[in-house]
Amino acid sequence: MDRSTSTTGTLTVTVDDRLFDRVPGYVLGLIAVPDIDVAAADPAVSSSLTEAEDALHRLSLGKADVSALPTVAAWREAYRAFDVNPNRFPCAAESLLRRVAKGDRLPRINALVDLCNAVSLATRLPVASCDVGDIEGELSVRPADGDEVYLPLGAPDAPEHPEPGEIVYADGQGRAHSRRWNWRQSDVVKTDRGRRRLLVTVEAAHDGAREAVDAALGRIADALDALEAPGGPGGRRQQPVVLDRSAPSAVLFTAPAALPAR
């Protein structure tokens, strides 16, 4: 059974105050997609990803140049604030940027993952698509207790426990769905093809984070709307939500999704 059909209730997403104590400028953008048929590929998304790769190739950035990008440098400081070495565990955006900057192409996974990668490369922000069809009630971005269970991406039969204090996305069932903030996603929330209940996330920690997250959410929303257009693989999204220190929690999937009025 597709995980998208297993949970249909609301999901409360909360950022723990302890994050803002150490990284006060942290911003988390969210788009809830209650039901979408994730296709293997989409021509417009594929074109956007190739354009983002080409643009990065033209810059000829070295590893140090990537680390010095303002959006990335802020993440490196955020990781250090929670005693994580960013050289060993770079944030999701830095990992993608490093890979492409040296001339590589990213593997094409499916339309939603490719969309997130395209926006991440273009904005230099961590962007992720999370299948939340198996998550009920709550999802918190918080320091780990250390007893949460994390199922590694691609290796769900080798469970791990996060280190106490590292930032994780944790649900109310004692499961961690990330390691070291956004360094790695769990196998539980990976986005596969087929009908899915998704949560798209955009994160930032630099000066101007709110504006950057808003812009990235706009790009993603437009792309999701195009996927819903006649001939697209289909999907319905809800309005973007942004969490920060002034608004650290939101309830998502509150009603049948509808596209915003034009």
Side-chain angles (χ1 to χ4, degrees):
M1 180 176 69
D2 279 351
R3 283 177 288 179
S4 61
T5 65
S6 63
T7 297
T8 57
T10 61
L11 182 66
T12 300
V13 181
T14 301
V15 180
D16 192 287
D17 287 342
R18 289 171 289 179
L19 270 73
F20 297 120
D21 290 342
R22 300 192 193 183
V23 187
Y26 175 63
V27 176
L28 171 61
L30 305 166
I31 299 179
V33 188
D35 181 30
I36 186 168
D37 188 4
V38 179
D42 175 81
V45 170
S46 297
S47 178
S48 293
L49 181 51
T50 298
E51 289 174 6
E53 291 169 330
D54 289 344
L56 198 58
H57 290 162
R58 289 193 292 270
L59 295 178
S60 300
L61 301 178
K63 183 176 179 180
D65 299 318
V66 171
S67 297
L69 292 169
T71 55
V72 174
W75 273 110
R76 293 174 69 83
E77 289 304 310
Y79 272 41
R80 291 189 185 100
F82 285 93
D83 301 319
V84 174
N85 182 348
N87 294 317
R88 184 179 179 191
F89 304 108
C91 79
E94 184 171 1
S95 293
L96 286 181
L97 289 163
R98 282 185 187 179
R99 183 169 182 173
V100 176
K102 66 182 182 180
D104 290 350
R105 298 278 180 187
L106 297 177
R108 271 45 178 175
I109 308 299
N110 57 55
L112 263 292
V113 175
D114 293 351
L115 169 61
C116 290
N117 286 343
V119 176
S120 182
L121 289 177
T123 64
R124 285 40 167 170
L125 299 177
V127 180
S129 174
C130 306
D131 185 338
V132 294
D134 191 43
I135 300 177
E136 299 179 0
E138 64 183 73
L139 185 65
S140 300
V141 189
R142 61 168 175 80
D145 298 325
D147 55 4
E148 298 88 353
V149 177
Y150 168 83
L151 304 183
L153 185 64
D157 296 327
E160 301 173 358
H161 295 288
E163 297 178 7
E166 73 170 86
I167 302 304
V168 296
Y169 279 70
D171 65 21
Q173 299 171 263
R175 299 179 298 180
H177 298 295
S178 70
R179 289 296 310 270
R180 298 178 180 87
W181 215 320
N182 52 49
W183 172 67
R184 287 285 187 272
Q185 189 179 64
S186 82
D187 199 79
V188 175
V189 298
K190 69 182 179 184
T191 297
D192 285 327
R193 293 170 58 184
R195 301 215 73 86
R196 302 289 163 191
R197 182 186 199 237
L198 300 180
L199 181 63
V200 180
T201 65
V202 181
E203 299 175 283
H206 65 291
D207 290 341
R210 176 61 189 250
E211 293 78 8
V213 168
D214 282 339
L217 289 172
R219 296 179 65 149
I220 295 166
D222 287 346
L224 289 171
D225 291 349
L227 292 178
E228 160 56 28
R236 293 285 185 182
R237 69 167 176 88
Q238 297 186 334
Q239 290 282 42
V241 172
V242 178
L243 304 184
D244 58 18
R245 190 162 202 166
S246 65
S249 184
V251 181
L252 307 178
F253 303 99
T254 55
L259 294 177
R262 293 289 185 181

Coordinates of all heavy atoms in Angstrom, one line a residue, residues 42-117:
D42 N 9.5 14.8 -15.4 CA 8.7 15.9 -16.0 C 9.6 16.7 -16.9 O 10.6 17.2 -16.4 CB 8.0 16.7 -14.9 CG 7.2 17.9 -15.5 OD1 6.1 17.6 -15.9 OD2 7.7 19.0 -15.5
P43 N 9.2 17.0 -18.1 CA 10.1 17.8 -19.0 C 10.5 19.1 -18.5 O 11.7 19.5 -18.5 CB 9.3 17.9 -20.3 CG 8.3 16.7 -20.3 CD 8.0 16.5 -18.8
A44 N 9.6 19.9 -17.9 CA 9.9 21.2 -17.4 C 10.9 21.1 -16.2 O 11.8 21.9 -16.1 CB 8.6 21.9 -17.0
V45 N 10.6 20.1 -15.3 CA 11.5 20.0 -14.2 C 12.9 19.5 -14.6 O 13.9 20.0 -14.1 CB 10.9 18.9 -13.2 CG1 11.9 18.5 -12.1 CG2 9.6 19.5 -12.5
S46 N 12.9 18.6 -15.5 CA 14.2 18.1 -16.1 C 15.0 19.3 -16.7 O 16.2 19.4 -16.5 CB 14.0 17.0 -17.1 OG 13.4 15.9 -16.5
S47 N 14.3 20.1 -17.4 CA 15.0 21.3 -18.0 C 15.5 22.2 -16.9 O 16.6 22.7 -17.0 CB 14.0 22.0 -18.9 OG 14.6 23.2 -19.5
S48 N 14.7 22.5 -15.9 CA 15.2 23.4 -14.8 C 16.4 22.8 -14.1 O 17.3 23.6 -13.7 CB 14.0 23.5 -13.8 OG 12.9 24.2 -14.4
L49 N 16.4 21.5 -13.9 CA 17.6 20.9 -13.2 C 18.8 21.0 -14.1 O 19.9 21.4 -13.6 CB 17.3 19.5 -12.8 CG 18.4 18.7 -12.1 CD1 18.9 19.4 -10.9 CD2 17.9 17.3 -11.7
T50 N 18.7 20.8 -15.3 CA 19.8 20.9 -16.2 C 20.3 22.3 -16.3 O 21.5 22.6 -16.3 CB 19.5 20.4 -17.7 OG1 19.1 19.0 -17.6 CG2 20.6 20.6 -18.6
E51 N 19.4 23.3 -16.3 CA 19.8 24.7 -16.4 C 20.5 25.1 -15.1 O 21.5 25.8 -15.1 CB 18.6 25.6 -16.5 CG 17.9 25.5 -17.9 CD 16.6 26.3 -18.0 OE1 16.3 27.0 -17.0 OE2 16.0 26.2 -19.0
A52 N 20.1 24.6 -13.9 CA 20.7 24.9 -12.7 C 22.1 24.3 -12.6 O 23.1 24.9 -12.1 CB 19.9 24.4 -11.5
E53 N 22.3 23.1 -13.1 CA 23.6 22.5 -13.2 C 24.5 23.2 -14.1 O 25.7 23.5 -13.8 CB 23.4 21.0 -13.7 CG 22.8 20.1 -12.7 CD 22.4 18.7 -13.3 OE1 22.2 18.7 -14.6 OE2 22.4 17.7 -12.6
D54 N 24.0 23.6 -15.3 CA 24.8 24.3 -16.3 C 25.3 25.7 -15.7 O 26.5 26.1 -15.9 CB 24.0 24.6 -17.5 CG 23.8 23.3 -18.4 OD1 24.5 22.3 -18.1 OD2 23.0 23.3 -19.2
A55 N 24.4 26.4 -15.0 CA 24.8 27.7 -14.4 C 25.9 27.5 -13.4 O 26.8 28.3 -13.3 CB 23.5 28.3 -13.8
L56 N 25.8 26.4 -12.6 CA 26.8 26.2 -11.6 C 28.1 25.8 -12.2 O 29.2 26.2 -11.8 CB 26.3 25.1 -10.6 CG 27.1 25.0 -9.3 CD1 27.0 26.3 -8.5 CD2 26.5 23.9 -8.4
H57 N 28.1 25.0 -13.3 CA 29.3 24.6 -14.0 C 30.0 25.8 -14.5 O 31.3 25.9 -14.4 CB 28.9 23.7 -15.2 CG 28.5 22.3 -14.8 ND1 27.8 21.5 -15.6 CD2 28.6 21.7 -13.6 CE1 27.5 20.4 -15.0 NE2 28.0 20.4 -13.7
R58 N 29.3 26.8 -15.0 CA 29.9 28.0 -15.5 C 30.7 28.8 -14.5 O 31.6 29.6 -14.8 CB 28.9 28.9 -16.3 CG 28.3 28.3 -17.5 CD 27.6 29.3 -18.4 NE 26.3 29.7 -17.7 CZ 25.1 29.0 -17.9 NH1 25.1 28.0 -18.7 NH2 24.1 29.5 -17.3
L59 N 30.3 28.7 -13.2 CA 31.0 29.5 -12.2 C 32.3 28.9 -11.8 O 33.1 29.6 -11.2 CB 30.1 29.5 -10.9 CG 28.7 30.3 -11.1 CD1 27.9 30.2 -9.8 CD2 29.0 31.7 -11.5
S60 N 32.6 27.6 -12.1 CA 33.8 27.0 -11.8 C 34.2 27.2 -10.3 O 35.4 27.6 -10.0 CB 34.9 27.5 -12.7 OG 34.6 27.3 -14.1
L61 N 33.3 26.9 -9.4 CA 33.6 27.0 -8.0 C 34.4 25.8 -7.5 O 34.1 24.7 -7.8 CB 32.3 27.1 -7.2 CG 31.3 28.3 -7.6 CD1 30.1 28.2 -6.7 CD2 32.0 29.6 -7.4
G62 N 35.4 26.1 -6.6 CA 36.1 25.1 -5.9 C 35.3 24.8 -4.6 O 34.4 25.4 -4.2
K63 N 35.8 23.8 -3.9 CA 35.2 23.3 -2.7 C 35.1 24.5 -1.6 O 34.1 24.7 -1.0 CB 36.0 22.1 -2.1 CG 35.4 21.6 -0.8 CD 36.2 20.3 -0.4 CE 35.6 19.7 0.9 NZ 36.4 18.5 1.3
A64 N 36.2 25.2 -1.5 CA 36.3 26.3 -0.6 C 35.3 27.4 -1.0 O 34.7 28.1 -0.2 CB 37.7 26.9 -0.5
D65 N 35.1 27.6 -2.3 CA 34.2 28.7 -2.8 C 32.8 28.3 -2.5 O 32.0 29.2 -2.1 CB 34.3 28.8 -4.3 CG 35.7 29.2 -4.8 OD1 36.3 30.1 -4.2 OD2 36.2 28.7 -5.8
V66 N 32.4 27.0 -2.6 CA 31.1 26.6 -2.2 C 30.9 26.8 -0.7 O 29.8 27.3 -0.3 CB 30.9 25.1 -2.6 CG1 29.6 24.6 -2.0 CG2 30.9 24.9 -4.1
S67 N 31.8 26.4 0.1 CA 31.7 26.6 1.6 C 31.5 28.1 2.0 O 31.0 28.4 3.0 CB 32.9 26.0 2.3 OG 33.0 24.6 2.1
A68 N 32.1 29.0 1.1 CA 32.0 30.4 1.4 C 30.8 31.1 1.0 O 30.5 32.3 1.3 CB 33.3 31.1 0.8
L69 N 29.9 30.4 0.2 CA 28.7 31.0 -0.2 C 27.9 31.4 1.0 O 27.8 30.7 2.0 CB 27.9 30.1 -1.1 CG 28.5 29.7 -2.5 CD1 27.7 28.5 -3.1 CD2 28.4 30.9 -3.4
P70 N 27.3 32.6 1.0 CA 26.6 33.1 2.3 C 25.6 32.1 2.8 O 25.5 31.9 4.1 CB 26.0 34.4 1.8 CG 26.8 34.9 0.7 CD 27.3 33.7 0.0
T71 N 24.8 31.5 2.0 CA 23.8 30.6 2.5 C 24.4 29.3 3.1 O 24.0 28.8 4.1 CB 22.9 30.1 1.3 OG1 23.6 29.6 0.3 CG2 22.0 31.3 0.8
V72 N 25.5 28.9 2.5 CA 26.2 27.7 2.9 C 27.0 28.0 4.2 O 27.0 27.2 5.2 CB 27.1 27.1 1.8 CG1 28.0 25.9 2.4 CG2 26.2 26.6 0.7
A73 N 27.7 29.1 4.2 CA 28.5 29.5 5.4 C 27.7 29.6 6.6 O 28.1 29.2 7.7 CB 29.2 30.8 5.1
A74 N 26.4 30.1 6.5 CA 25.5 30.2 7.6 C 25.2 28.8 8.1 O 25.0 28.6 9.3 CB 24.3 31.0 7.2
W75 N 25.0 27.9 7.2 CA 24.7 26.5 7.7 C 25.9 25.9 8.4 O 25.7 25.1 9.3 CB 24.2 25.7 6.5 CG 22.8 25.8 6.2 CD1 22.2 26.4 5.2 CD2 21.8 25.3 7.1 NE1 20.8 26.3 5.3 CE2 20.5 25.6 6.5 CE3 21.8 24.6 8.3 CZ2 19.3 25.3 7.1 CZ3 20.5 24.3 8.9 CH2 19.3 24.6 8.3
R76 N 27.1 26.2 7.9 CA 28.2 25.6 8.6 C 28.3 26.1 10.0 O 28.6 25.4 10.9 CB 29.5 26.0 7.8 CG 29.5 25.3 6.4 CD 30.7 25.8 5.6 NE 32.0 25.3 6.1 CZ 32.5 24.1 5.9 NH1 31.9 23.2 5.1 NH2 33.7 23.8 6.4
E77 N 28.0 27.4 10.2 CA 28.0 28.0 11.6 C 26.8 27.3 12.4 O 27.0 27.1 13.6 CB 27.8 29.5 11.5 CG 29.1 30.2 11.0 CD 30.3 29.8 11.9 OE1 30.2 29.9 13.1 OE2 31.3 29.5 11.3
A78 N 25.7 27.1 11.8 CA 24.6 26.5 12.5 C 24.9 25.1 12.9 O 24.6 24.7 14.0 CB 23.3 26.5 11.6
Y79 N 25.6 24.4 12.1 CA 26.0 23.0 12.4 C 27.0 23.1 13.6 O 26.9 22.3 14.6 CB 26.7 22.3 11.2 CG 25.7 21.6 10.4 CD1 24.4 22.1 10.1 CD2 26.0 20.3 9.8 CE1 23.6 21.4 9.2 CE2 25.2 19.6 9.0 CZ 23.9 20.2 8.7 OH 23.0 19.5 7.9
R80 N 28.0 24.0 13.5 CA 28.9 24.1 14.6 C 28.2 24.5 15.9 O 28.7 24.1 17.0 CB 30.0 25.2 14.3 CG 30.9 24.8 13.1 CD 32.1 25.7 13.0 NE 32.9 25.4 11.9 CZ 32.9 26.0 10.7 NH1 32.0 27.0 10.5 NH2 33.7 25.7 9.7
A81 N 27.2 25.2 15.8 CA 26.4 25.6 17.1 C 25.9 24.4 17.8 O 25.6 24.5 19.0 CB 25.3 26.6 16.7
F82 N 25.7 23.3 17.1 CA 25.2 22.1 17.7 C 26.3 21.0 17.7 O 26.0 19.8 17.7 CB 24.0 21.6 17.0 CG 22.8 22.4 17.4 CD1 22.4 23.5 16.7 CD2 22.1 22.2 18.6 CE1 21.3 24.3 17.0 CE2 21.0 22.9 18.9 CZ 20.6 24.0 18.2
D83 N 27.6 21.4 17.7 CA 28.7 20.6 17.8 C 28.8 19.5 16.7 O 29.3 18.4 16.9 CB 28.7 19.9 19.2 CG 28.7 20.9 20.3 OD1 29.5 21.8 20.2 OD2 28.0 20.7 21.3
V84 N 28.4 19.9 15.5 CA 28.6 19.1 14.3 C 29.6 19.6 13.4 O 29.6 20.9 13.1 CB 27.2 18.9 13.6 CG1 27.4 18.1 12.3 CG2 26.2 18.2 14.4
N85 N 30.6 18.8 13.0 CA 31.6 19.3 12.1 C 31.1 19.4 10.6 O 30.8 18.3 10.0 CB 32.8 18.3 12.2 CG 34.0 18.7 11.3 OD1 33.9 19.6 10.5 ND2 35.1 18.1 11.5
P86 N 31.0 20.6 10.1 CA 30.4 20.7 8.7 C 31.4 20.2 7.6 O 30.9 19.9 6.5 CB 30.1 22.2 8.6 CG 31.1 22.8 9.5 CD 31.3 21.9 10.6
N87 N 32.6 20.0 7.9 CA 33.5 19.4 6.9 C 33.3 17.9 6.8 O 33.3 17.4 5.7 CB 35.0 19.6 7.4 CG 35.4 21.1 7.4 OD1 35.1 21.8 6.5 ND2 36.1 21.5 8.4
R88 N 32.9 17.3 7.8 CA 32.6 15.9 7.8 C 31.1 15.6 7.4 O 30.8 14.7 6.7 CB 32.9 15.2 9.1 CG 32.6 13.7 9.2 CD 33.0 13.1 10.5 NE 32.7 11.7 10.6 CZ 32.7 11.0 11.7 NH1 33.0 11.6 12.8 NH2 32.5 9.7 11.6
F89 N 30.2 16.5 7.9 CA 28.8 16.4 7.6 C 28.3 17.7 7.0 O 27.6 18.5 7.7 CB 28.1 16.1 9.0 CG 28.6 14.9 9.7 CD1 29.3 15.0 10.8 CD2 28.3 13.6 9.2 CE1 29.8 13.9 11.5 CE2 28.8 12.5 9.8 CZ 29.5 12.6 11.0
P90 N 28.5 17.9 5.8 CA 28.0 19.2 5.1 C 26.5 19.1 5.0 O 25.9 18.0 4.9 CB 28.6 19.2 3.8 CG 28.9 17.7 3.5 CD 29.2 17.1 4.8
C91 N 25.8 20.3 5.1 CA 24.4 20.3 4.9 C 24.0 19.8 3.6 O 24.8 19.7 2.6 CB 23.9 21.7 5.2 SG 24.0 22.9 3.9
A92 N 22.7 19.5 3.4 CA 22.2 19.0 2.1 C 22.6 19.8 0.9 O 23.0 19.3 -0.1 CB 20.7 18.7 2.2
A93 N 22.4 21.2 1.1 CA 22.7 22.0 -0.1 C 24.2 22.0 -0.4 O 24.5 22.0 -1.6 CB 22.2 23.5 0.3
E94 N 25.0 22.1 0.6 CA 26.5 22.1 0.3 C 26.9 20.8 -0.4 O 27.7 20.8 -1.3 CB 27.3 22.3 1.6 CG 28.8 22.4 1.3 CD 29.6 22.8 2.5 OE1 29.0 22.9 3.6 OE2 30.8 22.9 2.4
S95 N 26.3 19.7 0.0 CA 26.6 18.4 -0.7 C 26.3 18.4 -2.1 O 27.1 18.0 -3.0 CB 25.9 17.2 0.0 OG 26.4 17.1 1.4
L96 N 25.1 18.9 -2.5 CA 24.7 19.0 -3.9 C 25.6 20.0 -4.6 O 26.0 19.7 -5.7 CB 23.2 19.5 -4.0 CG 22.1 18.5 -3.6 CD1 20.8 19.2 -3.8 CD2 22.2 17.2 -4.4
L97 N 25.8 21.1 -4.0 CA 26.6 22.2 -4.7 C 28.0 21.7 -5.0 O 28.5 21.9 -6.1 CB 26.6 23.4 -3.9 CG 25.2 24.2 -3.8 CD1 25.2 25.2 -2.7 CD2 25.0 24.9 -5.2
R98 N 28.6 21.0 -4.0 CA 30.0 20.5 -4.2 C 30.0 19.5 -5.4 O 30.9 19.6 -6.2 CB 30.4 19.8 -3.0 CG 30.9 20.6 -1.8 CD 31.4 19.7 -0.7 NE 31.8 20.4 0.5 CZ 32.2 19.7 1.6 NH1 32.4 18.4 1.5 NH2 32.5 20.4 2.7
R99 N 29.0 18.6 -5.4 CA 29.0 17.6 -6.4 C 28.9 18.2 -7.8 O 29.6 17.8 -8.8 CB 27.8 16.7 -6.2 CG 27.7 15.5 -7.1 CD 26.7 14.5 -6.6 NE 26.6 13.3 -7.4 CZ 25.9 12.2 -7.1 NH1 25.2 12.2 -6.0 NH2 25.9 11.2 -7.9
V100 N 28.0 19.2 -8.0 CA 27.8 19.7 -9.3 C 28.9 20.7 -9.7 O 29.3 20.8 -10.8 CB 26.4 20.4 -9.4 CG1 26.2 21.1 -10.7 CG2 25.3 19.4 -9.1
A101 N 29.4 21.5 -8.7 CA 30.4 22.4 -9.0 C 31.7 21.8 -9.6 O 32.4 22.5 -10.4 CB 30.8 23.2 -7.7
K102 N 31.9 20.6 -9.2 CA 33.1 19.9 -9.8 C 32.9 19.3 -11.2 O 33.8 18.7 -11.8 CB 33.7 18.9 -8.9 CG 32.8 17.7 -8.6 CD 33.4 16.7 -7.6 CE 32.6 15.5 -7.4 NZ 33.2 14.5 -6.4
G103 N 31.7 19.6 -11.7 CA 31.4 19.2 -13.1 C 30.5 18.0 -13.3 O 30.1 17.6 -14.4
D104 N 30.0 17.5 -12.2 CA 29.1 16.3 -12.2 C 27.6 16.7 -12.6 O 27.3 17.9 -12.4 CB 29.1 15.5 -10.9 CG 30.4 14.8 -10.7 OD1 31.2 14.7 -11.6 OD2 30.6 14.3 -9.6
R105 N 26.9 15.7 -12.9 CA 25.4 15.9 -13.0 C 24.8 15.1 -11.9 O 25.3 14.1 -11.5 CB 24.9 15.3 -14.4 CG 25.4 16.0 -15.6 CD 24.6 17.3 -15.9 NE 25.1 18.0 -17.1 CZ 24.7 19.2 -17.5 NH1 23.8 19.8 -16.8 NH2 25.2 19.7 -18.5
L106 N 23.6 15.5 -11.4 CA 22.9 14.8 -10.4 C 22.1 13.6 -11.0 O 21.6 13.8 -12.1 CB 22.0 15.7 -9.6 CG 22.6 16.8 -8.8 CD1 21.6 17.7 -8.2 CD2 23.6 16.3 -7.8
P107 N 22.0 12.5 -10.3 CA 21.2 11.4 -10.8 C 19.7 11.9 -10.9 O 19.3 12.7 -10.0 CB 21.3 10.3 -9.8 CG 21.8 11.0 -8.5 CD 22.6 12.2 -9.0
R108 N 19.0 11.5 -11.9 CA 17.6 11.9 -12.0 C 16.8 10.8 -11.2 O 16.9 9.6 -11.6 CB 17.1 11.9 -13.5 CG 17.3 13.3 -14.1 CD 18.6 14.0 -13.9 NE 18.7 15.3 -14.6 CZ 19.7 16.1 -14.5 NH1 20.7 15.8 -13.7 NH2 19.7 17.2 -15.2
I109 N 16.0 11.2 -10.2 CA 15.3 10.3 -9.4 C 13.8 10.1 -9.8 O 13.4 9.1 -10.1 CB 15.5 10.7 -7.9 CG1 16.9 10.9 -7.5 CG2 14.8 9.6 -7.0 CD1 17.8 9.7 -7.6
N110 N 13.1 11.2 -9.6 CA 11.8 11.3 -10.1 C 11.4 12.8 -10.1 O 12.2 13.7 -9.7 CB 10.8 10.5 -9.2 CG 10.8 11.0 -7.7 OD1 10.7 12.1 -7.4 ND2 11.1 10.0 -6.8
A111 N 10.2 13.2 -10.6 CA 9.9 14.6 -10.8 C 10.0 15.4 -9.6 O 10.4 16.6 -9.6 CB 8.5 14.6 -11.4
L112 N 9.6 14.9 -8.4 CA 9.6 15.7 -7.2 C 11.0 15.9 -6.6 O 11.4 17.0 -6.2 CB 8.7 15.1 -6.1 CG 7.3 15.7 -6.0 CD1 7.3 17.1 -5.5 CD2 6.5 15.6 -7.4
V113 N 11.8 14.8 -6.6 CA 13.1 14.9 -6.1 C 13.9 15.8 -7.0 O 14.7 16.6 -6.6 CB 13.8 13.5 -5.9 CG1 15.2 13.6 -5.5 CG2 13.0 12.7 -4.9
D114 N 13.8 15.6 -8.3 CA 14.5 16.5 -9.3 C 14.1 17.9 -9.1 O 15.0 18.8 -9.2 CB 14.2 16.0 -10.7 CG 14.8 14.6 -11.0 OD1 15.5 14.1 -10.2 OD2 14.4 14.1 -12.1
L115 N 12.8 18.2 -8.9 CA 12.4 19.6 -8.6 C 13.1 20.2 -7.4 O 13.6 21.3 -7.5 CB 10.9 19.6 -8.4 CG 10.3 20.9 -7.9 CD1 10.6 22.1 -8.9 CD2 8.8 20.8 -7.7
C116 N 13.1 19.4 -6.3 CA 13.8 19.9 -5.1 C 15.3 20.2 -5.4 O 15.8 21.2 -4.9 CB 13.6 18.9 -4.0 SG 11.9 18.9 -3.4
N117 N 15.9 19.3 -6.1 CA 17.3 19.5 -6.4 C 17.6 20.7 -7.3 O 18.6 21.4 -7.1 CB 17.9 18.2 -7.1 CG 18.1 17.1 -6.1 OD1 18.1 17.2 -4.9 ND2 18.2 15.8 -6.6

